Amino acid sequence: LSFVDSIWELLGYLLQGYPTVILTGEVMQDPHKIVGELAAHHVSRLWLIPPLLKLLMDTFPDLGRRLPDLKMWVTTGEEIQPDLFWRFQTNLPDAVLYNLYGTSEVWDATIYRPTKAHRLRPHVPIGKPIANTQAYVLDERLNPVPIQVTGELCIAGDGLADGYLHAPELTSSKFVPNPFPDAPGSRLYCTGDLACYLPDGQIEFVGRSDDQLKIRGVRI
């Protein structure tokens, strides 16, 4: 319950009138039990990290038939590989897989719905900023880089955290004054993620500016 996404996962659907199904730790260890529970409760919306999606798709080639009610899937937590993302579109044509980007410091920032125009891209786009969020791709001087040029992805908007607990120096290095302020005193979070804007306004994540990795959605 302390994880940032729990707020949206618990309250987002309830606000739309959908009950929340919470799977136990025991169920989450077994893909057969996971699918069985999702089917038994007629789950229609699901968030998961890419490794779990891959496990379910590898285990059940007929995943769409087993989960006919599950029409909205959201993958988040780490980069999803293009072959997995587009395999989902082929194998589950009646469902939609959204690719969502966010960090603990900004909660969720962008979301991407599959578009065939991006099928041959080396990375699955992370989409466009959600409401009340601004996304910039900047150089080391916080100047915008041209379209399709890689820079650091920086986020502003209502979702920003106050900073890091008991770490003022780290906070000041990552949360900087926003040079493109929508409101006086607004801040910009420098994610350390490398990205570029595509000509159609979608953002493509291309890697990290440091040695940080994510394993099963956890930063190391």
Side-chain angles (χ1 to χ4, degrees), residues 194-216:
L194 300 177
C196 69
Y197 261 105
L198 302 179
D200 61 1
Q202 305 282 352
I203 300 171
E204 184 176 82
F205 171 88
V206 298
R208 286 288 301 175
S209 61
D210 55 22
D211 295 327
Q212 175 182 292
L213 297 175
K214 279 193 173 184
I215 296 180
R216 294 187 293 277

Side-chain angles (χ1 to χ4, degrees), residues 48-60 83-84 87:
L48 72 174
I49 58 174
L52 179 54
L53 175 62
K54 185 177 187 305
L55 175 62
L56 295 181
M57 293 190 65
D58 289 346
T59 304
F60 303 103
D83 60 338
L84 177 61
R87 178 156 63 103

